Amino acid sequence: MNYDRKITSFMSLEILPDDLLLDHLLPYISLSALLALTCTSHHFARLCSDPILWKRKLQYDYNYYPSADTAQICGFKHIYRGIRKPEVYVWGHLGHGRRGSESDDPLPNDAYSYPVQIKMKSRIVSLASGGWFFKALDDMGAIYGWGTLHLSGRRQVSTEDLSFADPNCEARAPIKLQLPTRFVSICAGRNHSAALDVENRVWMIMQWGRPYLLTFTGSLDRSSRHPQIADKRIIQVACGHMPFVCFLTDDGEVYIIWATRGLFEHQATLKNEMLDRDGDGHPAKAINGAVLCTVIPISAEPVLLPSLPLDLPPLLSSSTDIDHEHQARTRPPKLIKITAGNNFVLGLTDQGHLLFINVNSEDTTNGLDNLRHWLNNGDRQWTYLPHFCDINHIIDDPVFTSRDNASNSSTIPIPSSIRITHISAYWKHFMAHTSGSPSIVLRAQLTAKANNVVEFSRTIQANFPNNEVMSVMTGCDHCVALSSDGIVRTWGKDERGTLGIGPQTEWKRELHTGDHRQGVVYEPTPVQFNHADPARRKFCFSITAAGWHAAALVFDMDEIMEDEEHHVGLVRTDHAMPLEGGSKQNTKGAIHRLKLQFNTAQRWKQMKRKMSLGTSEA
């Protein structure tokens, strides 16, 4: 069959499966061709409005990988409209370069109680924050950073004479790290950060000008008969509070790498001393806002964390969740998300279990060997945390209204179902929250006891007015939540503006809940990104927090609408063609545009092969 000829006919696209079109064709065509296709039939008009398509286009067009961490009450199409012009806002304690500006005079104590915008030279699609710095990822896969990575030595403010090979060097304005690859995700710990590139390689950044590229040698599974890490796909990277990185593979395995232990520390020390002595070949200095980095390869020895316990109970999101119970009994749980804090890793399974493991290796010369020994002997195992994920252990909290005391207006009605879908951590705290509306947010504070015993204290926050919580982050004493309506809410201790709701002298007059003497706010309180111009409508789609600061990615909905009124952006306003239906002439034009956009030989052959397989199966 001549597929090249067949694809030019009107019926050729209609006979293709929708999944094939959504996954392998439509995300890779231009907006003009996509809009033309919507005018050919009711079927394509509906298909081109599918959320999966706009999620794929966000990945392909903008290097943005949305998950449920994204505010999406209006759908991924709404995010696609606004991500063309994202704005970066920061607030809280913005000393050590976190303000991101060399020209603005700092406020007293570097306390910014309202969000302030940072001027970026590119389109930022992701943010991460550490102890004294911020990181950003743009739509082309480049990494930017500002602030100070490390405060252990003498403080150095960045100038043209200072080198960013020094981890103490302060970047007062965002700098672009010039690296020979594109990145898809970033994360940060207290004084280090990590990233995953398009080639599925892990990078660790402990000084802006000399990032480490991690390479893995030897078999990393429990048996030499299993494949090496190079044969696995890494789906997530997370940073601990102190310098360690952990990563999750697609088969649910978790590995951890300490930067200040073992082979990593030895290689990093030798190579940095050699570069300090012989020179990098080029200075790691900021020139026109960019730093030409020296990549340091590190042969790492990841430590494989244990398998999950075999006796995890079937976890019901509600008392009538029979289907989920059957699924839990037919296949074992698998880790799908991880996060890390101060000497611990937290994992979330595909069935909603929350598990904790202590990875404290004791800060000694043989610390890493000790950790391996404890793991191999079974002294360190994943610990199941039912009080943070099991509905039967959560609804007994006093925050919820009991059936016998429903008249108490200060408490919250008992939820009909609970299933943890997202986790995050910083320092001695971790956050877990449910999807759905209303959402429930659980915060844990960890206390280390003797013999590596850890105790957990729990607080529950559920006062989100009929909105689904999409993401929650925590700093030292403050929490930041992003809800599905694009509103950011904060609560906790307002230390140097960490809540972003204005000076305490203002909010103490307006808020009725909290400990005003200690500067504590108990209820989630909206953060205003339009403080300078209240008439502007702002929509947040990503947040980050750490230490005493926070940041958000926001777009101006009024500006987006103004652009679309002038034929700039996603929505056509000239109405030259109908939104649904259309003539065969429009159809031929749309298909011609599709072929022009989808003209690479390799992808065309893949398309024909999938068509051939689909036809033969039929």
Side-chain angles (χ1 to χ4, degrees):
M1 184 179 294
N2 190 337
Y3 292 103
D4 289 322
R5 181 177 180 181
K6 187 175 181 62
I7 199 70
T8 60
S9 67
F10 169 62
M11 296 299 297
S12 59
L13 289 178
E14 289 193 332
I15 67 172
L16 295 178
D18 288 351
D19 291 344
L20 186 64
L21 292 171
L22 289 173
D23 291 337
H24 299 282
L25 176 60
L26 299 184
Y28 305 101
I29 67 175
S30 68
L31 279 179
S32 59
L34 193 63
L35 291 171
L37 184 63
T38 65
C39 302
T40 61
S41 70
H42 292 275
H43 171 71
F44 284 122
R46 288 190 296 270
L47 192 64
C48 292
S49 296
D50 193 299
I52 296 297
L53 169 60
W54 295 102
K55 184 176 181 179
R56 298 277 191 272
K57 284 199 69 63
L58 282 168
Q59 297 171 0
Y60 181 75
D61 292 349
Y62 291 108
N63 190 42
Y64 180 68
Y65 290 81
S67 63
D69 295 344
T70 305
Q72 48 180 299
I73 193 171
C74 300
F76 292 120
K77 188 175 182 179
H78 181 67
I79 303 296
Y80 189 94
R81 294 168 64 188
I83 203 171
R84 295 181 296 108
K85 290 188 175 182
E87 301 170 351
V88 179
Y89 286 86
V90 295
W91 66 91
H93 181 14
L94 301 182
H96 303 293
R98 283 168 287 182
R99 171 63 182 88
S101 174
E102 294 181 340
S103 57
D104 294 351
D105 294 329
L107 295 180
N109 297 321
D110 295 309
Y112 289 78
S113 56
Y114 285 113
V116 292
Q117 186 175 356
I118 292 182
K119 296 179 180 179
M120 303 296 297
K121 296 181 179 179
S122 64
R123 183 182 289 116
I124 301 302
V125 298
S126 181
L127 294 172
S129 54
W132 310 277
F133 67 92
F134 290 100
K135 276 180 64 178
L137 182 69
D138 74 5
D139 61 333
M140 300 303 293
I143 292 177
Y144 292 76
W146 63 98
T148 308
L149 279 169
H150 212 283
L151 291 182
S152 63
R154 56 191 177 88
R155 180 182 179 186
Q156 298 190 68
V157 178
S158 58
T159 66
E160 293 185 357
D161 297 328
L162 291 178
S163 171
F164 281 99
D166 188 338
N168 301 290
C169 191
E170 176 184 308
R172 299 193 63 187
I175 55 172
K176 179 180 180 180
L177 307 187
Q178 293 186 339
L179 293 166
T181 186
R182 294 176 58 245
F183 294 89
V184 296
S185 67
I186 55 175
C187 59
R190 182 171 181 258
N191 55 8
H192 69 295
S193 62
L196 185 66
D197 70 12
V198 293
E199 299 179 49
N200 211 231
R201 299 179 300 181
V202 179
W203 295 66
M204 196 167 180
I205 302 173
M206 301 181 69
Q207 57 257 70
W208 296 122
R210 292 178 183 173
Y212 300 115
L213 172 59
L214 308 188
T215 58
F216 308 118
T217 59
S219 178
L220 301 179
D221 279 290
R222 296 180 180 86
S223 170
S224 60
R225 294 172 295 178
H226 289 100
Q228 297 182 0
I229 196 68
D231 301 315
K232 297 186 178 185
R233 186 171 67 90
I234 298 173
I235 61 174
Q236 187 190 352
V237 179
C239 287
H241 186 64
M242 300 306 286
F244 75 82
V245 171
C246 52
F247 54 90
L248 174 68
T249 60
D250 54 0
D251 58 358
E253 299 281 10
V254 180
Y255 299 87
I256 182 172
I257 299 173
W258 281 91
T260 56
R261 308 279 194 278
L263 183 61
F264 190 116
E265 181 183 30
H266 177 70
Q267 293 179 84
T269 300
L270 289 180
K271 293 184 177 183
N272 275 291
E273 289 177 352
M274 182 182 67
L275 290 172
D276 291 339
R277 182 181 65 251
D278 302 334
D280 295 24
H282 53 78
K285 297 178 180 179
I287 302 176
N288 296 324
V291 175
L292 183 58
C293 301
T294 298
V295 178
I296 301 179
I298 294 290
S299 179
E301 293 180 326
V303 176
L304 176 62
L305 298 187
S307 299
L308 299 182
L310 298 177
D311 58 350
L312 289 176
L315 199 56
L316 306 183
S317 61
S318 68
S319 58
T320 59
D321 194 355
I322 306 301
D323 292 338
H324 187 67
E325 180 180 12
H326 174 72
Q327 181 188 53
R329 294 185 184 279
T330 55
R331 62 180 178 82
K334 173 184 173 182
L335 287 175
I336 57 172
K337 292 182 180 179
I338 58 172
T339 187
N342 189 34
N343 292 322
F344 71 88
V345 177
L346 195 72
L348 177 66
T349 73
D350 54 355
Q351 297 177 20
H353 301 90
L354 204 61
L355 298 107
F356 165 93
I357 187 169
N358 184 351
V359 296
N360 181 16
S361 61
E362 299 185 354
D363 193 7
T364 64
T365 304
N366 300 321
L368 196 57
D369 292 334
N370 292 339
L371 179 60
R372 286 196 179 96
H373 175 74
W374 294 327
L375 292 172
N376 292 334
N377 286 355
D379 297 329
R380 298 286 181 87
Q381 297 287 340
W382 290 100
T383 300
Y384 175 49
L385 305 177
H387 289 84
F388 292 89
C389 60
D390 189 331
I391 185 172
N392 296 316
H393 290 271
I394 294 177
I395 60 176
D396 61 355
D397 194 280
V399 72
F400 297 113
T401 302
S402 67
R403 291 178 174 84
D404 298 330
N405 189 28
S407 61
N408 189 346
S409 60
S410 64
T411 54
I412 300 166
I414 295 176
S416 59
S417 64
I418 291 177
R419 186 176 183 183
I420 299 301
T421 54
H422 304 92
I423 54 177
S424 63
Y426 181 78
W427 194 31
K428 299 179 181 180
H429 310 280
F430 71 74
M431 309 289 289
H433 69 89
T434 66
S435 59
S437 178
S439 294
I440 297 172
V441 175
L442 301 98
R443 186 175 192 256
Q445 179 169 334
L446 282 62
T447 303
K449 300 294 184 178
N451 300 320
N452 286 313
V453 174
V454 178
E455 292 184 353
F456 305 87
S457 61
R458 184 188 71 184
T459 56
I460 294 180
Q461 181 62 260
N463 289 318
F464 299 95
N466 299 320
N467 288 301
E468 180 176 0
V469 173
M470 313 306 292
S471 178
V472 180
M473 307 296 289
T474 181
C476 290
D477 293 301
H478 68 293
C479 302
V480 184
L482 172 62
S483 56
S484 57
D485 54 1
I487 294 178
V488 175
R489 294 175 172 86
T490 60
W491 68 98
K493 188 173 183 179
D494 189 30
E495 186 76 35
R496 298 193 185 184
T498 50
L499 299 185
I501 58 176
Q504 292 189 18
T505 53
E506 295 183 11
W507 64 254
K508 285 181 179 180
R509 293 195 303 265
E510 300 175 1
L511 299 180
H512 301 291
T513 62
D515 186 339
H516 290 182
R517 290 174 300 176
Q518 299 297 326
V520 177
V521 175
Y522 294 143
E523 303 296 332
T525 305
V527 176
Q528 304 296 330
F529 297 98
N530 58 353
H531 177 70
D533 186 358
R536 308 295 293 185
R537 295 177 300 163
K538 303 285 187 175
F539 187 97
C540 178
F541 62 95
S542 184
I543 58 172
T544 185
W548 294 348
H549 53 264
L553 282 174
V554 177
F555 60 80
D556 189 320
M557 292 189 288
D558 293 315
E559 183 178 2
I560 298 301
M561 294 299 295
E562 291 167 2
D563 286 347
E564 291 171 354
E565 289 177 0
H566 295 86
H567 310 281
V568 178
L570 179 63
V571 178
R572 296 181 64 91
T573 55
D574 55 3
H575 301 293
M577 294 184 291
L579 293 178
E580 294 186 351
S583 65
K584 287 187 177 181
Q585 183 177 2
N586 287 339
T587 302
K588 291 180 180 179
I591 294 174
H592 178 66
R593 295 187 190 187
L594 291 176
K595 286 194 66 179
L596 291 178
Q597 294 292 326
F598 202 71
N599 201 23
T600 63
Q602 182 179 3
R603 190 170 292 279
W604 191 251
K605 290 178 181 178
Q606 292 175 355
M607 187 73 172
K608 290 196 295 183
R609 184 165 57 253
K610 291 180 180 293
M611 291 170 58
S612 178
L613 291 174
T615 304
S616 61
E617 291 175 358

